[in-house]
Amino acid sequence: MKVLAHGGVGSPRENDDGVKDAVNKGISGKTEALDIVIGVVRELEDDPIFNAGTGSRVRIDGSIQMDAAVMFDGEIGAVSAIERVKNPVSVAKEVYDSPFVMLTGADCTQFARDLGYEDYDPLTKKRKEELEEMNEKLKGTDGPERLKKVREFYEQVDGGDTVGCVAEVYGEYAAAVSTGGTSYCMRGRVGDSPLIGCGFYAGKKGAVVTTGKGEEIIKRMSAKRCYDLIPEHGLKEACEMTIAEYPNEISIGVIAVNGSGIASADNREMARFGIER
Ligand code: GLY
């Protein structure tokens, strides 16, 4: 068994303990790669220091919309802009088990409710304070002027603080990701996390998860890019080559697993923890 999880690029290494707790609790009693990555990401979603599930960032309108995905052996389940559920990654697994690949927005939230997922408010005190700060900066703006201001602030946003996990068990690979998105982001905005090949990828050769500003990761489809580099360049170099495709002012992190081990690369601090048994 190999497992590697992260708490988002830009999250300080002092949060390694939080990721370690999530890994230890999340793998407990699990024997399959997919169950392991979901278990670990659920724990990260429940820890308010990370930007996923409880503790997700707030959008400029004050709402919280979350993205999550799971992938195992070429099969995918993803949710985007889901609201008021405790564990978006578990709803992504419900999509995985359905005939669909991705559900989005209010219909996705309704899908979760229909399956018994209760109404849950993931807002924390810290995120409420961040919203007040954003409101103050955008105060008195409306329409195109507000959008212009949002753009100005959004260009300065560094990182997207996804949480993610990759795992290998008996040569089978899985990946899971979850995020509350970025600050200064609009309602309806979707980042890399629920998009195959951008925020995550898992196939016969391994599994990869990325973290950083979604718009930049989507443009480069970095998870699939890294996955495709692994056979020729090896795990560590594939991670480093993926990071090297970004200018230094864009924060980016990647974690990966294959038959030979686990590896990561980043251009900022990135809380993480891995095990190999
Ligand atoms: N990487 C998470 C996001 O941009 O939404």
Side-chain angles (χ1 to χ4, degrees):
M1 174 203 284
K2 304 182 193 79
V3 182
L4 181 57
H6 74 77
V9 70
S11 61
R13 296 302 303 268
E14 69 204 36
N15 291 344
D16 279 6
D17 284 347
V19 183
K20 183 178 175 183
D21 277 357
V23 169
N24 287 332
K25 285 187 198 150
I27 67 171
S28 174
K30 315 272 186 349
T31 53
E32 309 269 330
L34 183 58
D35 292 339
I36 287 170
V37 293
I38 293 169
V40 173
V41 168
R42 274 179 65 96
E43 294 293 332
L44 291 164
E45 287 177 337
D46 289 346
D47 186 335
I49 64 169
F50 300 114
N51 173 28
T54 305
S56 284
R57 286 190 191 282
V58 183
R59 311 221 158 193
I60 50 172
D61 70 329
S63 65
I64 292 178
Q65 294 188 307
M66 300 166 285
D67 302 332
V70 300
M71 185 163 182
F72 173 71
D73 198 19
E75 295 296 324
I76 308 154
V79 297
S80 63
I82 192 169
E83 292 182 71
R84 297 190 69 94
V85 294
K86 189 161 188 271
N87 293 108
V89 75
S90 294
V91 186
K93 173 62 165 59
E94 302 281 6
V95 178
Y96 177 98
D97 290 331
S98 80
F100 315 111
V101 165
M102 184 191 282
L103 291 178
T104 192
D107 300 307
C108 178
T109 307
Q110 188 56 49
F111 169 77
R113 294 281 179 268
D114 290 346
L115 291 171
Y117 288 78
E118 284 172 13
D119 182 58
Y120 176 81
D121 184 359
L123 182 66
T124 59
K125 186 168 170 281
K126 180 179 164 219
R127 297 305 185 193
K128 208 169 163 213
E129 285 163 8
E130 283 175 9
L131 174 65
E132 280 156 15
E133 222 175 274
M134 282 194 289
N135 280 341
E136 194 52 41
K137 288 192 182 154
L138 296 170
K139 204 160 121 187
T141 59
D142 213 348
E145 191 204 343
R146 186 172 171 86
L147 200 56
K148 190 168 164 257
K149 267 248 174 287
V150 168
R151 175 185 279 271
E152 274 167 35
F153 287 120
Y154 199 70
E155 274 163 9
Q156 290 158 31
V157 167
D158 188 27
D161 310 346
T162 324
V163 302
C165 183
V166 291
E168 177 272 345
V169 178
Y170 294 126
E172 292 185 317
Y173 301 98
V177 290
S178 184
T179 185
T182 54
S183 47
Y184 292 99
C185 92
M186 285 181 62
R187 192 172 164 77
R189 177 262 186 195
V190 176
D192 59 299
S193 300
L195 302 183
I196 182 171
C198 301
F200 66 94
Y201 198 83
K204 302 263 180 245
K205 295 179 279 186
V208 178
V209 155
T210 61
T211 167
K213 196 169 186 177
E215 285 71 14
E216 299 297 335
I217 297 172
I218 293 167
K219 285 179 212 165
R220 294 168 177 84
M221 295 194 284
S222 291
K224 182 64 162 55
R225 173 90 180 118
C226 182
Y227 179 85
D228 288 340
L229 290 167
I230 293 172
E232 191 181 340
H233 298 277
L235 202 60
K236 182 69 183 164
E237 202 182 325
C239 291
E240 279 165 3
M241 288 171 77
T242 305
I243 298 304
E245 292 181 353
Y246 290 75
N248 199 46
E249 61 271 20
I250 296 170
S251 62
I252 174 76
V254 61
I255 60 172
V257 62
N258 75 348
S260 70
I262 54 178
S264 67
D266 51 70
N267 62 7
R268 301 286 188 280
E269 269 191 289
M270 181 172 74
R272 58 186 178 272
F273 180 75
I275 54 170
E276 291 183 75
R277 288 183 183 148

